[in-house]
Amino acid sequence: DTGVSQDPRHKITKRGQNVTFRCDPISEHNRLYWYRQTLGQGPEFLTYFQNEAQLEKSRLLSDRFSAERPKGSFSTLEIQRTEQGDSAMYLCASSLTGEGNQPQHFGDGTRLSIL
Amino acid sequence: GQQVMQIPQYQHVQEGEDFTTYCNSSTTLSNIQWYKQRPGGHPVFLIQLVKSGEVKKQKRLTFQFGEAKKNSSLHITATQTTDVGTYFCAGYISVGGSEKLVFGKGMKLTVNP
């Protein structure tokens, strides 16, 4: 089990720049989730995919955020025109589908810092 | 607004003490999951509770799901320094026809050796 991997681990960028993060889920997992976590808070749901279909997107997510999972394997999360408030840890998780809700397996996250 | 609430947010205990932390939801949950996040790490799944009144044990950790499926508790017996971390409860809540996992703010545990 290679686990969920995310790249990069850290990203520092200037306000207004675009950034893209990548997530490779556990290979047999067909569900993939993106979360944002800030200090002292729990992970906040952003969006999720079942295979290549994006099934849910948080209403809190501005249109500067977009996610893709083109072949149903890895996923990318892009933030355009970054703002100070985008500084956070971006976590990816994956799970199987099955009866009931399945445990989610998290990656180590990408920490984004906006200068 | 916050749909899954955890109390307390912080807990400092002496090694060897027992303690309980609580999780409350404003809505009925189909199930509840607990995760642990060590300092600098990522959330790691601990357990899932599905049935009303369900109790599950993992060594010194006891998890309980309330009868109304709106609250849960985690009890740790004889706390050890390895228990340090933030414990999150998370419930699946229906939003717009699909369910998403909503996390509480977490309970940060520190242990005095």
Side-chain angles (χ1 to χ4, degrees):
Chain A
D1 179 3
T2 56
V4 177
S5 63
Q6 293 187 244
D7 183 71
R9 291 293 305 275
H10 304 274
K11 180 70 177 177
I12 302 172
T13 192
K14 293 182 179 179
R15 183 165 51 92
Q17 298 295 304
N18 299 343
V19 293
T20 300
F21 311 139
R22 176 179 170 125
C23 171
D24 287 87
I26 293 171
S27 58
E28 61 268 28
H29 286 184
N30 50 11
R31 283 194 176 174
L32 186 149
Y33 308 81
W34 284 99
Y35 293 88
R36 176 171 58 194
Q37 186 177 28
T38 53
L39 197 63
Q41 302 292 320
E44 177 189 23
F45 172 83
L46 295 179
T47 189
Y48 94 94
F49 294 83
Q50 175 141 331
N51 300 313
E52 65 275 9
Q54 188 173 16
L55 297 187
E56 183 73 32
K57 186 175 177 179
S58 171
R59 284 174 290 176
L60 301 174
L61 211 59
S62 81
D63 56 9
R64 296 184 297 105
F65 287 70
S66 61
E68 293 183 343
R69 195 183 182 196
K71 298 180 181 178
S73 55
F74 74 91
S75 175
T76 57
L77 176 69
E78 181 183 16
I79 309 174
Q80 296 182 325
R81 304 180 303 282
T82 52
E83 300 174 356
Q84 292 280 356
D86 296 333
S87 294
M89 176 72 84
Y90 289 84
L91 293 164
C92 175
S94 69
S95 75
L96 294 165
T97 49
E99 187 174 338
N101 295 304
Q102 300 296 314
Q104 294 188 16
H105 298 257
F106 283 81
D108 286 333
T110 295
R111 183 171 294 283
L112 175 64
S113 299
I114 307 297
L115 301 177
Chain B
Q2 184 71 34
Q3 293 174 293
V4 177
M5 294 147 286
Q6 290 187 245
I7 51 171
Q9 270 194 276
Y10 302 94
Q11 182 82 43
H12 180 73
V13 300
Q14 195 71 29
E15 190 172 22
E17 286 183 350
D18 301 350
F19 83 94
T20 303
T21 184
Y22 301 91
C23 177
N24 299 298
S25 169
S26 54
T27 59
T28 301
L29 302 170
S30 55
N31 56 51
I32 197 159
Q33 297 180 352
W34 285 86
Y35 291 78
K36 177 183 178 181
Q37 186 172 24
R38 293 184 185 275
H42 58 265
V44 174
F45 174 80
L46 294 177
I47 208 153
Q48 176 169 273
L49 304 170
V50 179
K51 298 176 184 175
S52 170
E54 187 172 13
V55 177
K56 286 187 176 179
K57 291 190 176 184
Q58 282 183 354
K59 297 181 181 178
R60 295 177 294 101
L61 276 61
T62 302
F63 302 84
Q64 185 166 4
F65 203 7
E67 294 290 338
K69 301 184 75 172
K70 294 179 77 171
N71 54 67
S72 180
S73 65
L74 160 60
H75 180 80
I76 301 183
T77 304
T79 312
Q80 298 178 358
T81 55
T82 53
D83 296 325
V84 163
T86 301
Y87 293 82
F88 294 99
C89 65
Y92 276 92
I93 295 175
S94 290
V95 179
S98 64
E99 287 193 322
K100 65 176 186 179
L101 193 60
V102 177
F103 283 79
K105 288 187 175 184
M107 187 282 299
K108 185 175 181 180
L109 175 66
T110 53
V111 179
N112 198 26

Short mmCIF file of all heavy atoms in Angstrom, two decimals, chain A residues 36-96:
data_model
loop_
_atom_site.label_atom_id
_atom_site.label_comp_id
_atom_site.label_asym_id
_atom_site.label_seq_id
_atom_site.Cartn_x
_atom_site.Cartn_y
_atom_site.Cartn_z
N ARG A 36 -9.44 21.46 2.67
CA ARG A 36 -8.55 22.54 3.09
C ARG A 36 -8.57 22.55 4.62
O ARG A 36 -9.63 22.43 5.23
CB ARG A 36 -9.03 23.88 2.53
CG ARG A 36 -8.22 25.08 2.98
CD ARG A 36 -8.62 26.31 2.22
NE ARG A 36 -10.03 26.64 2.34
CZ ARG A 36 -10.68 27.50 1.59
NH1 ARG A 36 -10.03 28.12 0.61
NH2 ARG A 36 -11.95 27.76 1.78
N GLN A 37 -7.37 22.70 5.21
CA GLN A 37 -7.29 22.75 6.67
C GLN A 37 -6.44 23.93 7.09
O GLN A 37 -5.32 24.10 6.62
CB GLN A 37 -6.70 21.44 7.23
CG GLN A 37 -6.73 21.38 8.75
CD GLN A 37 -6.21 20.06 9.29
OE1 GLN A 37 -5.39 19.39 8.67
NE2 GLN A 37 -6.70 19.66 10.46
N THR A 38 -6.99 24.74 7.98
CA THR A 38 -6.23 25.85 8.57
C THR A 38 -6.00 25.53 10.05
O THR A 38 -6.62 24.63 10.62
CB THR A 38 -6.96 27.18 8.41
OG1 THR A 38 -8.30 27.04 8.92
CG2 THR A 38 -7.05 27.59 6.95
N LEU A 39 -5.11 26.30 10.66
CA LEU A 39 -4.68 26.02 12.03
C LEU A 39 -5.86 26.03 12.99
O LEU A 39 -6.67 26.95 12.99
CB LEU A 39 -3.65 27.08 12.44
CG LEU A 39 -2.80 26.74 13.66
CD1 LEU A 39 -1.95 25.51 13.38
CD2 LEU A 39 -1.91 27.93 14.03
N GLY A 40 -5.96 24.98 13.77
CA GLY A 40 -7.01 24.91 14.78
C GLY A 40 -8.37 24.51 14.25
O GLY A 40 -9.36 24.56 14.98
N GLN A 41 -8.41 24.09 12.99
CA GLN A 41 -9.68 23.69 12.39
C GLN A 41 -9.58 22.26 11.87
O GLN A 41 -8.50 21.74 11.62
CB GLN A 41 -10.04 24.61 11.22
CG GLN A 41 -10.15 26.08 11.59
CD GLN A 41 -11.32 26.38 12.48
OE1 GLN A 41 -12.42 25.84 12.31
NE2 GLN A 41 -11.10 27.23 13.48
N GLY A 42 -10.74 21.67 11.68
CA GLY A 42 -10.76 20.37 11.03
C GLY A 42 -10.71 20.53 9.52
O GLY A 42 -10.89 21.64 9.00
N PRO A 43 -10.45 19.45 8.81
CA PRO A 43 -10.47 19.54 7.34
C PRO A 43 -11.83 20.02 6.85
O PRO A 43 -12.87 19.57 7.32
CB PRO A 43 -10.22 18.09 6.92
CG PRO A 43 -9.51 17.47 8.08
CD PRO A 43 -10.09 18.12 9.28
N GLU A 44 -11.80 20.94 5.89
CA GLU A 44 -13.02 21.51 5.32
C GLU A 44 -13.19 20.97 3.91
O GLU A 44 -12.30 21.14 3.06
CB GLU A 44 -12.92 23.03 5.31
CG GLU A 44 -14.10 23.74 4.65
CD GLU A 44 -13.86 25.22 4.47
OE1 GLU A 44 -12.68 25.63 4.41
OE2 GLU A 44 -14.83 25.97 4.34
N PHE A 45 -14.32 20.35 3.64
CA PHE A 45 -14.57 19.73 2.34
C PHE A 45 -14.55 20.77 1.22
O PHE A 45 -15.15 21.85 1.32
CB PHE A 45 -15.95 19.05 2.38
CG PHE A 45 -16.43 18.54 1.05
CD1 PHE A 45 -16.01 17.32 0.57
CD2 PHE A 45 -17.31 19.28 0.29
CE1 PHE A 45 -16.45 16.83 -0.65
CE2 PHE A 45 -17.77 18.82 -0.93
CZ PHE A 45 -17.34 17.59 -1.40
N LEU A 46 -13.87 20.44 0.13
CA LEU A 46 -13.85 21.29 -1.05
C LEU A 46 -14.62 20.64 -2.21
O LEU A 46 -15.52 21.25 -2.79
CB LEU A 46 -12.41 21.57 -1.51
CG LEU A 46 -11.54 22.37 -0.54
CD1 LEU A 46 -10.14 22.55 -1.11
CD2 LEU A 46 -12.16 23.73 -0.24
N THR A 47 -14.23 19.41 -2.54
CA THR A 47 -14.85 18.74 -3.68
C THR A 47 -14.52 17.26 -3.65
O THR A 47 -13.60 16.85 -2.95
CB THR A 47 -14.37 19.36 -5.01
OG1 THR A 47 -15.15 18.82 -6.10
CG2 THR A 47 -12.90 19.09 -5.27
N TYR A 48 -15.30 16.45 -4.40
CA TYR A 48 -14.92 15.06 -4.52
C TYR A 48 -15.31 14.47 -5.86
O TYR A 48 -16.20 14.98 -6.55
CB TYR A 48 -15.44 14.21 -3.35
CG TYR A 48 -16.76 13.51 -3.53
CD1 TYR A 48 -16.80 12.18 -3.98
CD2 TYR A 48 -17.95 14.11 -3.18
CE1 TYR A 48 -18.01 11.51 -4.09
CE2 TYR A 48 -19.16 13.45 -3.29
CZ TYR A 48 -19.19 12.14 -3.74
OH TYR A 48 -20.37 11.47 -3.85
N PHE A 49 -14.59 13.42 -6.23
CA PHE A 49 -14.76 12.72 -7.50
C PHE A 49 -15.09 11.26 -7.24
O PHE A 49 -14.57 10.65 -6.31
CB PHE A 49 -13.46 12.75 -8.32
CG PHE A 49 -13.07 14.12 -8.79
CD1 PHE A 49 -12.37 14.99 -7.95
CD2 PHE A 49 -13.36 14.55 -10.07
CE1 PHE A 49 -11.99 16.25 -8.38
CE2 PHE A 49 -12.99 15.80 -10.52
CZ PHE A 49 -12.30 16.65 -9.66
N GLN A 50 -15.93 10.74 -8.08
CA GLN A 50 -16.06 9.29 -8.19
C GLN A 50 -15.58 8.95 -9.59
O GLN A 50 -16.20 9.36 -10.57
CB GLN A 50 -17.49 8.82 -7.97
CG GLN A 50 -17.62 7.33 -8.19
CD GLN A 50 -18.56 6.67 -7.21
OE1 GLN A 50 -18.70 7.12 -6.06
NE2 GLN A 50 -19.20 5.61 -7.64
N ASN A 51 -14.50 8.21 -9.63
CA ASN A 51 -13.79 8.00 -10.91
C ASN A 51 -13.47 9.37 -11.50
O ASN A 51 -12.90 10.21 -10.80
CB ASN A 51 -14.61 7.12 -11.83
CG ASN A 51 -14.87 5.75 -11.21
OD1 ASN A 51 -13.95 5.11 -10.69
ND2 ASN A 51 -16.11 5.31 -11.21
N GLU A 52 -13.83 9.64 -12.75
CA GLU A 52 -13.47 10.93 -13.32
C GLU A 52 -14.55 12.00 -13.14
O GLU A 52 -14.34 13.17 -13.49
CB GLU A 52 -13.14 10.79 -14.81
CG GLU A 52 -14.32 10.35 -15.68
CD GLU A 52 -14.49 8.84 -15.70
OE1 GLU A 52 -13.81 8.14 -14.92
OE2 GLU A 52 -15.32 8.37 -16.50
N ALA A 53 -15.69 11.61 -12.57
CA ALA A 53 -16.81 12.54 -12.43
C ALA A 53 -16.71 13.35 -11.13
O ALA A 53 -16.60 12.77 -10.05
CB ALA A 53 -18.12 11.77 -12.48
N GLN A 54 -16.80 14.66 -11.26
CA GLN A 54 -16.81 15.53 -10.08
C GLN A 54 -18.25 15.60 -9.59
O GLN A 54 -19.11 16.20 -10.24
CB GLN A 54 -16.29 16.92 -10.43
CG GLN A 54 -16.10 17.82 -9.22
CD GLN A 54 -15.42 19.15 -9.57
OE1 GLN A 54 -15.35 19.52 -10.72
NE2 GLN A 54 -14.90 19.85 -8.57
N LEU A 55 -18.52 15.00 -8.43
CA LEU A 55 -19.90 14.84 -7.98
C LEU A 55 -20.37 15.93 -7.04
O LEU A 55 -21.57 16.13 -6.88
CB LEU A 55 -20.08 13.48 -7.32
CG LEU A 55 -19.87 12.26 -8.20
CD1 LEU A 55 -20.25 10.99 -7.46
CD2 LEU A 55 -20.67 12.38 -9.49
N GLU A 56 -19.47 16.59 -6.40
CA GLU A 56 -19.88 17.57 -5.40
C GLU A 56 -18.80 18.64 -5.28
O GLU A 56 -17.61 18.32 -5.33
CB GLU A 56 -20.09 16.89 -4.05
CG GLU A 56 -20.59 17.80 -2.93
CD GLU A 56 -22.04 18.20 -3.08
OE1 GLU A 56 -22.82 17.39 -3.60
OE2 GLU A 56 -22.37 19.32 -2.68
N LYS A 57 -19.24 19.86 -5.16
CA LYS A 57 -18.30 20.97 -4.98
C LYS A 57 -18.87 21.88 -3.92
O LYS A 57 -20.04 22.27 -3.98
CB LYS A 57 -18.13 21.71 -6.31
CG LYS A 57 -17.08 22.80 -6.31
CD LYS A 57 -16.93 23.38 -7.72
CE LYS A 57 -15.93 24.52 -7.73
NZ LYS A 57 -15.75 25.10 -9.07
N SER A 58 -18.07 22.24 -2.93
CA SER A 58 -18.54 23.07 -1.85
C SER A 58 -19.00 24.43 -2.36
O SER A 58 -18.34 25.05 -3.21
CB SER A 58 -17.43 23.24 -0.81
OG SER A 58 -17.78 24.20 0.14
N ARG A 59 -20.09 24.91 -1.77
CA ARG A 59 -20.57 26.25 -2.14
C ARG A 59 -19.61 27.33 -1.65
O ARG A 59 -19.65 28.47 -2.12
CB ARG A 59 -21.96 26.49 -1.54
CG ARG A 59 -23.06 25.75 -2.29
CD ARG A 59 -24.38 25.88 -1.57
NE ARG A 59 -24.38 25.14 -0.32
CZ ARG A 59 -25.38 25.16 0.54
NH1 ARG A 59 -26.45 25.88 0.31
NH2 ARG A 59 -25.33 24.45 1.63
N LEU A 60 -18.76 26.96 -0.71
CA LEU A 60 -17.79 27.91 -0.19
C LEU A 60 -16.63 28.12 -1.16
O LEU A 60 -15.86 29.06 -1.01
CB LEU A 60 -17.25 27.41 1.15
CG LEU A 60 -18.28 27.19 2.26
CD1 LEU A 60 -17.62 26.57 3.48
CD2 LEU A 60 -18.94 28.51 2.64
N LEU A 61 -16.53 27.24 -2.14
CA LEU A 61 -15.40 27.28 -3.06
C LEU A 61 -15.63 28.33 -4.14
O LEU A 61 -16.61 28.27 -4.87
CB LEU A 61 -15.25 25.91 -3.71
CG LEU A 61 -13.86 25.46 -4.10
CD1 LEU A 61 -12.95 25.43 -2.90
CD2 LEU A 61 -13.91 24.09 -4.73
N SER A 62 -14.70 29.31 -4.21
CA SER A 62 -14.87 30.35 -5.22
C SER A 62 -14.54 29.80 -6.60
O SER A 62 -13.97 28.72 -6.74
CB SER A 62 -13.97 31.54 -4.89
OG SER A 62 -12.65 31.28 -5.34
N ASP A 63 -14.90 30.58 -7.62
CA ASP A 63 -14.64 30.12 -8.98
C ASP A 63 -13.16 30.21 -9.34
O ASP A 63 -12.77 29.84 -10.45
CB ASP A 63 -15.51 30.87 -9.99
CG ASP A 63 -15.32 32.37 -9.91
OD1 ASP A 63 -14.40 32.81 -9.18
OD2 ASP A 63 -16.09 33.10 -10.54
N ARG A 64 -12.33 30.65 -8.41
CA ARG A 64 -10.87 30.61 -8.67
C ARG A 64 -10.31 29.21 -8.48
O ARG A 64 -9.18 28.94 -8.87
CB ARG A 64 -10.16 31.58 -7.73
CG ARG A 64 -10.53 33.05 -7.92
CD ARG A 64 -9.71 33.96 -7.00
NE ARG A 64 -9.95 33.71 -5.59
CZ ARG A 64 -9.10 33.07 -4.78
NH1 ARG A 64 -7.95 32.63 -5.24
NH2 ARG A 64 -9.41 32.89 -3.51
N PHE A 65 -11.09 28.36 -7.86
CA PHE A 65 -10.66 26.99 -7.59
C PHE A 65 -11.26 26.04 -8.63
O PHE A 65 -12.46 26.10 -8.93
CB PHE A 65 -11.14 26.53 -6.21
CG PHE A 65 -10.42 27.15 -5.06
CD1 PHE A 65 -10.59 28.49 -4.75
CD2 PHE A 65 -9.56 26.41 -4.27
CE1 PHE A 65 -9.92 29.07 -3.69
CE2 PHE A 65 -8.89 26.98 -3.19
CZ PHE A 65 -9.07 28.31 -2.91
N SER A 66 -10.44 25.17 -9.17
CA SER A 66 -10.95 24.15 -10.07
C SER A 66 -10.17 22.86 -9.85
O SER A 66 -8.98 22.88 -9.54
CB SER A 66 -10.83 24.59 -11.53
OG SER A 66 -9.47 24.81 -11.87
N ALA A 67 -10.86 21.75 -9.98
CA ALA A 67 -10.23 20.45 -9.79
C ALA A 67 -10.60 19.55 -10.96
O ALA A 67 -11.68 19.66 -11.53
CB ALA A 67 -10.68 19.81 -8.48
N GLU A 68 -9.66 18.66 -11.28
CA GLU A 68 -9.88 17.71 -12.36
C GLU A 68 -9.38 16.34 -11.94
O GLU A 68 -8.46 16.22 -11.13
CB GLU A 68 -9.12 18.15 -13.62
CG GLU A 68 -9.63 19.41 -14.27
CD GLU A 68 -8.87 19.74 -15.55
OE1 GLU A 68 -7.77 19.20 -15.75
OE2 GLU A 68 -9.39 20.54 -16.34
N ARG A 69 -9.95 15.34 -12.58
CA ARG A 69 -9.46 13.97 -12.43
C ARG A 69 -9.70 13.29 -13.77
O ARG A 69 -10.59 12.46 -13.91
CB ARG A 69 -10.21 13.26 -11.30
CG ARG A 69 -9.51 11.98 -10.84
CD ARG A 69 -10.30 11.26 -9.78
NE ARG A 69 -9.58 10.06 -9.34
CZ ARG A 69 -10.14 9.08 -8.65
NH1 ARG A 69 -11.43 9.13 -8.33
NH2 ARG A 69 -9.44 8.04 -8.29
N PRO A 70 -8.92 13.66 -14.77
CA PRO A 70 -9.24 13.33 -16.16
C PRO A 70 -9.35 11.85 -16.49
O PRO A 70 -10.16 11.47 -17.31
CB PRO A 70 -8.09 13.99 -16.94
CG PRO A 70 -7.01 14.22 -15.94
CD PRO A 70 -7.68 14.42 -14.63
N LYS A 71 -8.56 11.02 -15.88
CA LYS A 71 -8.60 9.60 -16.21
C LYS A 71 -9.06 8.76 -15.03
O LYS A 71 -8.92 7.54 -15.04
CB LYS A 71 -7.23 9.12 -16.69
CG LYS A 71 -6.76 9.82 -17.96
CD LYS A 71 -5.40 9.31 -18.40
CE LYS A 71 -4.96 10.05 -19.67
NZ LYS A 71 -3.60 9.60 -20.11
N GLY A 72 -9.61 9.41 -14.06
CA GLY A 72 -10.09 8.67 -12.90
C GLY A 72 -8.99 8.15 -12.00
O GLY A 72 -9.25 7.32 -11.14
N SER A 73 -7.75 8.65 -12.21
CA SER A 73 -6.67 8.21 -11.31
C SER A 73 -6.20 9.41 -10.51
O SER A 73 -6.84 9.78 -9.53
CB SER A 73 -5.55 7.56 -12.11
OG SER A 73 -5.09 8.46 -13.12
N PHE A 74 -5.12 10.08 -10.93
CA PHE A 74 -4.64 11.24 -10.18
C PHE A 74 -5.58 12.43 -10.38
O PHE A 74 -6.39 12.46 -11.32
CB PHE A 74 -3.21 11.60 -10.60
CG PHE A 74 -3.11 12.26 -11.95
CD1 PHE A 74 -3.17 13.64 -12.07
CD2 PHE A 74 -2.98 11.50 -13.10
CE1 PHE A 74 -3.08 14.26 -13.30
CE2 PHE A 74 -2.90 12.10 -14.35
CZ PHE A 74 -2.95 13.49 -14.44
N SER A 75 -5.45 13.41 -9.49
CA SER A 75 -6.27 14.61 -9.58
C SER A 75 -5.39 15.84 -9.42
O SER A 75 -4.31 15.77 -8.80
CB SER A 75 -7.34 14.61 -8.48
OG SER A 75 -8.09 15.82 -8.46
N THR A 76 -5.83 16.95 -9.98
CA THR A 76 -5.15 18.22 -9.77
C THR A 76 -6.14 19.23 -9.22
O THR A 76 -7.33 19.20 -9.55
CB THR A 76 -4.54 18.77 -11.07
OG1 THR A 76 -5.58 18.90 -12.05
CG2 THR A 76 -3.44 17.86 -11.59
N LEU A 77 -5.63 20.09 -8.36
CA LEU A 77 -6.40 21.21 -7.81
C LEU A 77 -5.66 22.48 -8.20
O LEU A 77 -4.49 22.64 -7.87
CB LEU A 77 -6.53 21.10 -6.30
CG LEU A 77 -7.24 22.26 -5.59
CD1 LEU A 77 -8.72 22.28 -5.93
CD2 LEU A 77 -7.06 22.16 -4.07
N GLU A 78 -6.33 23.37 -8.91
CA GLU A 78 -5.72 24.63 -9.33
C GLU A 78 -6.40 25.79 -8.62
O GLU A 78 -7.64 25.82 -8.49
CB GLU A 78 -5.81 24.83 -10.84
CG GLU A 78 -5.15 26.12 -11.31
CD GLU A 78 -5.28 26.38 -12.81
OE1 GLU A 78 -6.13 25.74 -13.47
OE2 GLU A 78 -4.53 27.23 -13.32
N ILE A 79 -5.59 26.72 -8.15
CA ILE A 79 -6.10 27.96 -7.59
C ILE A 79 -5.57 29.09 -8.46
O ILE A 79 -4.34 29.24 -8.61
CB ILE A 79 -5.66 28.18 -6.13
CG1 ILE A 79 -5.97 26.95 -5.28
CG2 ILE A 79 -6.36 29.41 -5.56
CD1 ILE A 79 -5.43 27.03 -3.86
N GLN A 80 -6.45 29.87 -9.01
CA GLN A 80 -6.04 31.00 -9.84
C GLN A 80 -6.06 32.29 -9.02
O GLN A 80 -6.85 32.42 -8.08
CB GLN A 80 -6.98 31.13 -11.05
CG GLN A 80 -6.91 29.94 -11.99
CD GLN A 80 -7.82 30.11 -13.19
OE1 GLN A 80 -8.90 30.69 -13.10
NE2 GLN A 80 -7.39 29.62 -14.34
N ARG A 81 -5.17 33.20 -9.38
CA ARG A 81 -5.13 34.54 -8.75
C ARG A 81 -5.18 34.40 -7.23
O ARG A 81 -6.08 34.91 -6.56
CB ARG A 81 -6.29 35.39 -9.25
CG ARG A 81 -6.33 35.52 -10.77
CD ARG A 81 -7.51 36.40 -11.24
NE ARG A 81 -8.81 35.91 -10.78
CZ ARG A 81 -9.49 34.91 -11.29
NH1 ARG A 81 -8.99 34.22 -12.31
NH2 ARG A 81 -10.67 34.57 -10.80
N THR A 82 -4.18 33.71 -6.69
CA THR A 82 -4.18 33.41 -5.26
C THR A 82 -4.29 34.65 -4.40
O THR A 82 -3.81 35.74 -4.75
CB THR A 82 -2.91 32.64 -4.86
OG1 THR A 82 -1.76 33.36 -5.34
CG2 THR A 82 -2.92 31.23 -5.42
N GLU A 83 -4.94 34.48 -3.25
CA GLU A 83 -5.13 35.55 -2.27
C GLU A 83 -4.54 35.10 -0.95
O GLU A 83 -4.33 33.91 -0.71
CB GLU A 83 -6.63 35.83 -2.11
CG GLU A 83 -7.31 36.26 -3.40
CD GLU A 83 -8.82 36.39 -3.25
OE1 GLU A 83 -9.35 36.06 -2.16
OE2 GLU A 83 -9.47 36.80 -4.23
N GLN A 84 -4.32 36.07 -0.05
CA GLN A 84 -3.74 35.74 1.27
C GLN A 84 -4.56 34.68 1.99
O GLN A 84 -4.02 33.78 2.64
CB GLN A 84 -3.70 37.01 2.14
CG GLN A 84 -2.72 38.06 1.68
CD GLN A 84 -1.30 37.76 2.10
OE1 GLN A 84 -1.05 36.79 2.81
NE2 GLN A 84 -0.36 38.56 1.65
N GLY A 85 -5.87 34.77 1.87
CA GLY A 85 -6.75 33.84 2.56
C GLY A 85 -6.69 32.41 2.05
O GLY A 85 -7.26 31.51 2.65
N ASP A 86 -5.99 32.21 0.95
CA ASP A 86 -5.85 30.85 0.42
C ASP A 86 -4.76 30.07 1.15
O ASP A 86 -4.64 28.85 0.95
CB ASP A 86 -5.51 30.89 -1.08
CG ASP A 86 -6.62 31.50 -1.92
OD1 ASP A 86 -7.80 31.43 -1.51
OD2 ASP A 86 -6.30 32.07 -2.98
N SER A 87 -3.97 30.75 1.96
CA SER A 87 -2.91 30.06 2.71
C SER A 87 -3.54 29.01 3.62
O SER A 87 -4.40 29.33 4.45
CB SER A 87 -2.12 31.07 3.55
OG SER A 87 -1.42 31.96 2.73
N ALA A 88 -3.12 27.78 3.45
CA ALA A 88 -3.71 26.67 4.20
C ALA A 88 -2.98 25.40 3.83
O ALA A 88 -2.12 25.39 2.94
CB ALA A 88 -5.19 26.50 3.86
N MET A 89 -3.35 24.31 4.51
CA MET A 89 -2.90 22.98 4.10
C MET A 89 -4.00 22.40 3.22
O MET A 89 -5.17 22.39 3.62
CB MET A 89 -2.68 22.09 5.32
CG MET A 89 -2.31 20.66 4.98
SD MET A 89 -0.64 20.53 4.34
CE MET A 89 0.26 20.46 5.89
N TYR A 90 -3.65 21.92 2.04
CA TYR A 90 -4.62 21.30 1.13
C TYR A 90 -4.40 19.80 1.19
O TYR A 90 -3.35 19.29 0.82
CB TYR A 90 -4.48 21.86 -0.27
CG TYR A 90 -4.97 23.29 -0.33
CD1 TYR A 90 -4.13 24.34 0.03
CD2 TYR A 90 -6.29 23.59 -0.67
CE1 TYR A 90 -4.59 25.65 0.06
CE2 TYR A 90 -6.75 24.89 -0.66
CZ TYR A 90 -5.90 25.92 -0.29
OH TYR A 90 -6.37 27.21 -0.27
N LEU A 91 -5.42 19.11 1.66
CA LEU A 91 -5.35 17.67 1.86
C LEU A 91 -6.15 16.93 0.81
O LEU A 91 -7.24 17.36 0.43
CB LEU A 91 -5.92 17.29 3.24
CG LEU A 91 -5.14 17.76 4.46
CD1 LEU A 91 -6.00 17.65 5.71
CD2 LEU A 91 -3.88 16.93 4.63
N CYS A 92 -5.61 15.83 0.37
CA CYS A 92 -6.31 14.95 -0.55
C CYS A 92 -6.57 13.63 0.19
O CYS A 92 -5.74 13.20 1.01
CB CYS A 92 -5.44 14.70 -1.78
SG CYS A 92 -6.11 13.51 -2.95
N ALA A 93 -7.69 13.03 -0.08
CA ALA A 93 -8.02 11.74 0.52
C ALA A 93 -8.66 10.85 -0.53
O ALA A 93 -9.23 11.35 -1.51
CB ALA A 93 -8.95 11.90 1.71
N SER A 94 -8.56 9.56 -0.34
CA SER A 94 -9.23 8.64 -1.27
C SER A 94 -9.92 7.53 -0.48
O SER A 94 -9.58 7.27 0.69
CB SER A 94 -8.25 8.05 -2.28
OG SER A 94 -7.33 7.16 -1.67
N SER A 95 -10.89 6.93 -1.12
CA SER A 95 -11.60 5.82 -0.48
C SER A 95 -12.18 4.90 -1.54
O SER A 95 -12.28 5.25 -2.72
CB SER A 95 -12.72 6.34 0.43
OG SER A 95 -13.83 6.79 -0.33
N LEU A 96 -12.57 3.73 -1.08
CA LEU A 96 -13.33 2.82 -1.92
C LEU A 96 -14.79 3.25 -1.90
O LEU A 96 -15.21 4.02 -1.04
CB LEU A 96 -13.22 1.40 -1.37
CG LEU A 96 -11.84 0.75 -1.41
CD1 LEU A 96 -11.81 -0.49 -0.52
CD2 LEU A 96 -11.47 0.40 -2.83
#
